[in-house]
Amino acid sequence: MCCFGYQKLELLLIRLLRELYEKECFIKPLPWDEPLPISSFYTPCNCRIGQRRAKTGELFSPAFQFDHSRVLIIADLGYGKTTFTKHVVNRWRAKGDEQNVILINVLMKEVNEDTRLSEYALHMLASGTTFTAAEIEKIIRNNVCHVLLDGLDELSMSMFDPLKNNDTDESVINNNKCAKPDDRGESENGTFELTISHLLSGSIPHSYKKVNVWVTSREVDDTNSRFKLPYAKVTLTGFSDSQLYEYITKVCKHYSGSLETEPADPTLAEGGEKHLNAEELTKQVRDTLEYNEISKEFAATPLLLIMIIHILASKIVDPEGRMKAVELYKLTTIVHMVITCLESHYTQKIDVRENVPRQLKSLEKRLGKLALRRGLEDTFFGTNYISKEDKDIALAVGLLRLTKEVTGNSGNLAVSCFSGVRFYHQYFQEYLAAKYATFIDEEMSLEKIVKNRKDDQTIRLFQFMAGSYHKHLLCVLETLLTTHGMWNLFIDCIYEIDSTERQKETVRHFKVKIEGNSHLNVRYLDKRYHQEAVSTFFALCKLEEIKIPDVIFRDNQVITLLEKLTLPDIDQLQFYQMTITEDTFVKIIEHTLRNDKLPKNIQ
C-alpha cells in the first residue's frame, strides 16, 4: 500500500470512530429518562493519584500523559468511572488537532482476553466498511493509540454472566471465526496482533509506536489483578461541595431549558402558579437535599446522590414548568427508586431476557432473608453465606459491595485483597429485609424479630415495612404502641404507607387507641422527615374526626411547623422546655386560632 493510500485509510478510520463516538457520548442517570449529552453534564471530581490528592483534570495534562502510559482508574460502583470514560472519548472526538491519535474505547463486557483489538475496532465500525482487521492493526502499530478498557470487573461477566445463555450469546466478540493468535500474539501468518490479554499484561512489542492503556474498574484485588503492574493507580473519590453545586446547576439548567412550553409571562403560569427558571430550580433542589436526611445518607455515594438530584429536578417541575409537590421525604420511596434504577441499569448492560426481572426479584428475596436472619446491625458477611451466582449478580447490580483488607505494601500501592461482602448501603439491607418479612406468615415470628428492639436499624425496618404495606402491618403497629409506646415511630410508619386511602384506613383502625392515649409527646421535630410525618398524621386525624386528648410539643421547630400544620380536635395543647418570647406566643395563638376547633387549654 502506498504512503498516500495509507494516510487516507488512517484519516478515514479516525473520522469513522469520531462519528461512532458522537452517538455514544451520552449518559442516562435515570433508566426511564432520555439520554443526556455528556458534554452538558460532565463535572470534574476529586481523585487520588497514588496517595496524592488531585482532580481528574490533571489526568489530561501533558506531564501526566508523558509519565504514565498505563493507568488504572478505580472506584466503587457509582463514582463515575464510565462517565469519566465517556468524557475522555468525547474530549478526543471534539478535538480536531489530534488527527494522528487513534482512540479505541473497549467495553470489557463485550470481549474476552483473546479478543484482538483490531477485530473489536472493526466490529465497532458501521456495517459495509471497507477496512480489514490487518489494515486497522497496521494503523494501530504506526500511530499513537489510546485504548480505554472500560469495566475490567465486567470482563468475567462477558463470559460467565449467570443471566446469559453463553452458548448462544453473540454479544461477546470472540475469535472463533478467525485464526487465533498464540501466546506471543502471532497469528498463523506470522504477524503480531494485539489482544486484550496483551494490553492487560503490558506485553506490547516495541514495533508499536505508542499504546497508552487506561483501564477502569471497581476495586481490584491487588494480589490477583488482571491488569499487571507497572501502572499509575487513580482512585475517583467523588464531588467536593463546590463540584456538587456545579453539577446540580448543570442538571437544573437542562431540565428548566427542556420544558416543552413556556408561558407568556415567564414567572407566572395559568392560575398564578409560579414557574421555575434554572436558578430557582437549582435552589429548590439544593434546599431539598440540604433538609432531606435521607439524601444526606446517600451523599457519600455519587451515583445514589446523582440519581436523587435527577429525580428531584425532573419531578419538581411539571411539563409546563410549574412547581409541584414532591414526596421524596419518604424513606421507602427514595430507596425503592434508587434500587429500581440500579436494577434497570444492570438489565441495560446485559442482553435483556424475559426472566431477568423475575430473577432479580428472586435475588432480592434471598438477600432480604439473609439480612433478616443475620441481624440488621451487621452489614458484613463472608462469601460462604451466599452463592457465587447470587454474589456476582448482586455485585454487578450494586446491591452488595466487596470489602477489602490491607495485606502489605508494594511501592506506593497499598496491597489489599477481598475478605468478604457487605450490603452496598445500610438502607438497602433494611429495605430488602422488610420486603422479605412480607413472606413470613406467622405473626409470632415477626414479633420475635422486633421484640424489645429500639435501635435505628429496627426502627427503619418498621418504616420500610409500612412503606411496603406489610400484611401484618397492623400487628406491628399494635406492638409499637402497646409494648413500647413509640408514638413518634407510629406516626412515621403512617407517613410511609404508600397511599392516602391506606393511611386513612390505618388511622381509623387505631382510632380508639389514639383517643385513649393520655399524652402524645411529639419529638424529633429537628428532622424534616418527622415534620412531614407529623403534618400528615394530624391532617389524617382531622379527616377521620379523631380527637386527641393531649398533645405536647418540646421543640422550638414547632413554631415553623405550625405555619403549615392542620391541627385536629385537641383537648389540651402543651409547649414544654421551649424558649418562647411574647411575640412567639402570640404567633402560636394566631396559628392555633386558624383551626375549626380550639383546644380547651393551651399551656
Side-chain angles (χ1 to χ4, degrees), residues 18 25 39 87-97:
R18 282 201 165 96
C25 291
S39 57
H87 171 66
V88 174
V89 172
N90 187 63
R91 191 173 183 274
W92 175 83
R93 184 193 63 80
K95 293 188 72 171
D97 59 348

Side-chain angles (χ1 to χ4, degrees), residues 556-576:
N556 284 332
Q557 294 288 341
V558 71
I559 308 305
T560 305
L561 181 62
L562 281 172
E563 295 178 2
K564 58 180 181 180
L565 204 59
T566 303
L567 291 175
D569 191 2
I570 298 173
D571 275 346
Q572 182 165 265
L573 185 60
Q574 301 184 62
F575 301 88
Y576 281 176

Side-chain angles (χ1 to χ4, degrees), residues 562 575 584-594 598 602:
L562 281 172
F575 301 88
T584 302
F585 181 75
V586 171
K587 285 183 179 180
I588 292 174
I589 300 300
E590 288 175 346
H591 290 314
T592 307
L593 288 175
R594 294 179 182 179
L598 298 178
I602 301 179

Side-chain angles (χ1 to χ4, degrees), residues 97-112:
D97 59 348
E98 292 187 359
Q99 296 296 326
N100 62 333
V101 177
I102 310 295
L103 187 142
I104 300 177
N105 183 30
V106 180
L107 303 181
M108 297 296 274
K109 66 184 180 183
E110 296 180 349
V111 301
N112 58 50

Side-chain angles (χ1 to χ4, degrees), residues 31 39 54 70 86 131 203 210 214 222 264 306 308 310 322 363 440 448 494 513 569 573 575:
S39 57
R70 291 171 59 79
K86 288 180 178 289
F131 277 103
S203 53
K210 186 175 184 181
W214 286 19
D222 296 317
I306 283 170
I308 291 175
H310 281 268
R322 290 187 292 267
L363 172 64
I440 300 177
K448 288 179 182 178
I494 295 296
K513 277 196 175 294
D569 191 2
L573 185 60
F575 301 88

